[in-house]
Amino acid sequence: MKLILLGTGAGRPTLERNVTSIALQFPERRNRFWLFDAGEGTQHQLLGRKELKLSKLEAVFITHLHGDHLYGLPGLLTSRSFIEGAGKLTVYGPAGISAYLEGIFAASEVRLDYELEIVELEDERTELDAGFCRIVAMELDHRIRCLGYRIVESPRCGALDTEKLARLGLPPGPEYGLLKRGESVTLADGTTVRPGDVLADPTPGATVTILGDTAPCGNAFELGREADLLVHEATFAAGLEEKAAAYGHSTIAQACGIALKSEAKRLVVTHFSARYAKEDVRRMVEEARSIFPEVYAAHDGAEFDVRTGFINN
């Protein structure tokens, strides 16, 4: 899985940062991807990313209904009608997302040329099964109802023991694919080769946690538990905890505290207040590494491999 930060600012866009949107891309699934939030201008951010084609967008997960996380969604969904090959798309979000979109589409007389499904997540905790991964959504602590999402890949098939297969007389070919899919193969001499005979143990899938706006809370810790990559807001600098609490946000120190407590491997902080320039954020992160060493500042266009960290910075 690859994480691409499309917007990393809070509240309103600046010359350096657009408002919130994150793409989660699945290169092994022909670069299909999901969006987490879609602040104003998100489709403009996508225009410069050839690997993020709207025809390959399968789902949008909205954390909450504040405008800096939502106002770009109607335009993006409408533009997708002009993209050849755009299939069904599902939008997940808190109660109210359906009325929001349907109201705008009705007022604008929008007619989409693809199937749009809207799923409102009303429970404190919801689990979704996407086949190749599992998604857990839980409520966070913000001024309005807000969700965080934990995406857990299914275990990966173990590697084939090619030397053993060669000794058995099975050269590379379609049978290798059958074995990796869990199917047995019969050789010419009648010998049956079972997947368990030639496959290493499965490896755990990667886990990425993407949180919406939140003050420190138990569900943020639960969603981030042992994640390979945790994305947490850091609207304010350390020392402004009282101000952060008043608005339902976190400081960078509090985000690092959640990552430390949850034993996440890496932390990406984002959603920076417009008061902070790039140099301010750099200094904030350097200071925060005394709390959690593997913390990195997001910026528009940054890419992360969920397992290994930065691709570019």
Side-chain angles (χ1 to χ4, degrees):
M1 292 189 287
K2 183 169 75 170
L3 197 78
I4 303 171
L5 282 299
L6 299 171
T8 57
R12 58 185 173 87
T14 69
L15 291 175
E16 293 181 340
R17 298 180 185 275
N18 199 46
V19 285
T20 299
S21 185
I22 298 171
L24 184 62
Q25 186 188 40
F26 307 99
E28 66 281 4
R29 301 186 65 244
R30 299 182 179 179
N31 287 330
R32 298 185 184 280
F33 72 101
W34 298 343
L35 276 181
F36 291 81
D37 287 334
E40 181 182 1
T42 293
Q43 65 174 315
H44 288 86
Q45 299 289 80
L46 287 170
L47 289 175
R49 314 286 315 206
K50 292 182 179 179
E51 76 277 24
L52 297 178
K53 298 178 181 179
L54 283 179
S55 60
K56 292 185 177 293
L57 176 61
E58 293 182 325
V60 179
F61 295 83
I62 298 298
T63 62
H64 63 297
L65 303 186
H66 278 157
D68 58 321
H69 296 253
L70 184 65
Y71 285 170
L73 183 58
L76 185 150
L77 296 178
T78 303
S79 293
R80 193 170 181 269
S81 278
F82 296 93
I83 305 299
E84 185 176 352
K88 178 183 177 180
L89 186 147
T90 304
V91 174
Y92 300 92
I97 185 67
S98 181
Y100 170 77
L101 290 174
E102 290 172 0
I104 290 176
F105 291 158
S108 303
E109 298 187 4
V110 169
R111 298 292 183 269
L112 301 181
D113 290 336
Y114 59 89
E115 181 184 355
L116 177 66
E117 179 185 21
I118 304 174
V119 179
E120 296 191 338
L121 307 176
E122 299 183 1
D123 296 335
E124 180 184 350
R125 177 189 175 97
T126 304
E127 291 202 22
L128 305 167
D129 186 357
F132 67 97
C133 72
R134 178 172 55 89
I135 306 103
V136 179
M138 297 179 72
E139 289 185 11
L140 301 173
D141 183 7
H142 193 44
R143 288 179 294 160
I144 65 173
R145 189 166 184 270
C146 186
L147 301 171
Y149 297 96
R150 176 182 174 92
I151 303 94
V152 184
E153 277 187 320
S154 300
R156 296 187 175 190
C157 181
L160 282 169
D161 187 336
T162 53
E163 292 183 0
K164 186 172 184 178
L165 286 166
R167 290 197 301 271
L168 290 170
L170 187 61
E175 292 82 4
Y176 280 26
L178 294 174
L179 288 165
K180 288 185 73 70
R181 289 199 298 271
E183 300 178 33
S184 297
V185 171
T186 302
L187 305 181
D189 63 4
T191 302
T192 298
V193 180
R194 296 175 177 82
D197 299 331
V198 293
L199 283 173
D201 292 336
T203 57
T207 297
V208 57
T209 297
I210 301 173
L211 303 181
D213 292 1
T214 186
C217 64
N219 282 352
F221 155 71
E222 181 64 26
L223 287 168
R225 183 168 41 82
E226 298 181 352
D228 292 281
L229 186 63
L230 168 63
V231 182
H232 197 298
E233 69 131 284
T235 307
F236 296 104
L240 294 178
E241 283 73 22
E242 186 174 339
K243 188 177 186 67
Y247 291 95
H249 287 298
S250 296
T251 67
I252 189 170
Q254 290 173 323
C256 286
I258 289 292
L260 186 66
K261 181 180 178 183
S262 65
E263 299 183 353
K265 293 182 177 65
R266 294 176 185 82
L267 169 67
V268 172
V269 285
T270 186
H271 199 267
F272 301 109
S273 167
R275 70 181 67 191
Y276 302 118
K278 285 185 177 180
E279 182 60 28
D280 299 319
V281 171
R282 185 192 63 79
R283 185 170 56 253
M284 288 162 56
V285 169
E286 287 181 355
E287 294 172 353
R289 286 192 173 128
S290 64
I291 305 171
F292 189 79
E294 291 294 322
V295 56
Y296 302 92
H299 62 82
D300 290 18
E303 299 181 18
F304 297 84
D305 183 285
V306 170
R307 287 181 178 272
T308 62
F310 262 117
I311 295 175
N312 70 24
N313 186 19

